[in-house]
Amino acid sequence: MKRIFTYIAAIALAGSLSSCLKDNSQPDFTQNKPVIELPVGSSAGNGAGNSIAASFTISETPSDYFIYVNYAAPETNTSDVGVTLTVDAAALTKFNSANGKNYTMIPSNGYSLASNKITIPAGQRKVKFPIKINTLNLDPTKTYALPITITDGGGYTISGNFSTLISVITLKQS
């Protein structure tokens, strides 16, 4: 009797494993529409934006900082894509509220942008968006945040999950 149960268990196990082998379904990403996103950061999963930590040494020279802007699609873009980004104080308020944080909005003299527009060249997916952090204008006892939101995706859909990135900025002494 014990042998019969062993055989039945072995047959059931073999049958369950072989059924997995017959499953050929894979997601078809070729039908996805392009999306413009800020892919770097840890997702809070609450719709209030994503965050990334950035630490800078206090210096007389502004520090280079970059965030990435991505063209997410099965194929690379066939023409240049102009993207507009905005420093978004309302996004920081929403992020702080949703995540129980109290980050301070970085003052306007604490950072500089060469432009609020960037181009993703044809054939590329990802570009760096440059930011200068002016550490001399920041209080090292505070934790600041620089909230960046995509406001124009150059005619493409802006990601619902990765359209805002909150850079959480701390300072360290040299």
Side-chain angles (χ1 to χ4, degrees), residues 3-150:
R3 258 188 173 175
I4 293 174
F5 287 120
T6 304
Y7 287 125
I8 291 173
I11 291 170
L13 179 61
S16 68
L17 293 176
S18 66
S19 66
C20 293
L21 297 175
K22 295 177 186 174
D23 183 11
N24 292 329
S25 64
Q26 293 293 318
D28 181 9
F29 293 114
T30 62
Q31 302 305 311
N32 288 2
K33 303 281 187 221
V35 174
I36 306 300
E37 63 182 3
L38 303 172
V40 179
S42 63
S43 177
N46 59 14
N50 303 306
S51 65
I52 187 167
S55 182
F56 299 93
T57 302
I58 298 172
S59 171
E60 290 183 22
T61 305
S63 299
D64 290 325
Y65 179 60
F66 301 95
I67 62 172
Y68 289 92
V69 179
N70 189 48
Y71 174 89
E75 303 294 328
T76 58
N77 51 328
T78 57
S79 61
D80 291 354
V81 178
V83 179
T84 304
L85 299 110
T86 302
V87 176
D88 187 356
L92 179 57
T93 300
K94 181 178 178 181
F95 181 86
N96 279 340
S97 176
N99 294 290
K101 301 294 183 184
N102 193 27
Y103 297 135
T104 302
M105 177 71 181
I106 190 170
S108 60
N109 67 351
Y111 69 94
S112 59
L113 309 176
S115 172
N116 69 329
K117 297 181 185 295
I118 193 158
T119 300
I120 303 171
Q124 292 187 21
R125 294 186 187 277
K126 183 169 57 173
V127 294
K128 290 180 180 180
F129 181 72
I131 302 167
K132 295 278 189 184
I133 303 297
N134 304 314
T135 57
L136 284 182
N137 296 332
L138 302 176
D139 179 349
T141 64
K142 293 183 178 179
T143 300
Y144 293 98
L146 177 60
I148 302 284
T149 298
I150 300 170

